[in-house]
Amino acid sequence: MLAARHIEIILLQLGKLDLASAAGKLMLAMLAAVAEMERDLLVERTQAGLALAKAEGKTLRRPPSMRRWRVHMD
């Protein structure tokens, strides 16, 4: 899709990638795989942190809104 729209990707360490070439397709696939792995690791760490907090008996919720404490002056 990027190649069809003539969008170029420039990596600071590697320079310009030709997305139509085999090397460009490989690099794009590798970058996508690394991004997916990073996202999966983030989810795993978040879930582990939430489980640990629950095990320690912490309450997992948003802090109360300041609207509850607002004083109305009529």
Side-chain angles (χ1 to χ4, degrees):
M1 183 175 82
L2 296 174
R5 295 175 62 186
H6 304 290
I7 295 174
E8 296 177 336
I9 295 178
I10 300 173
L11 300 175
L12 296 178
Q13 297 296 322
L14 301 175
K16 204 182 298 187
L17 287 178
D18 178 12
L19 299 177
S21 71
K25 290 177 186 176
L26 173 65
M27 185 58 69
L28 198 56
M30 288 172 48
L31 290 172
V34 169
E36 184 178 358
M37 181 191 73
E38 286 292 327
R39 176 70 183 143
D40 291 344
L41 288 174
L42 175 70
V43 170
E44 286 177 12
R45 288 191 302 264
T46 301
Q47 294 300 320
L50 289 171
L52 180 62
K54 280 184 179 180
E56 292 174 353
K58 294 184 181 175
T59 305
L60 303 176
R61 62 185 171 114
R62 291 175 61 139
S65 172
M66 291 301 291
R67 287 189 214 168
R68 291 184 189 175
W69 307 106
R70 181 184 252 169
V71 175
H72 293 284
M73 297 178 146
D74 294 321

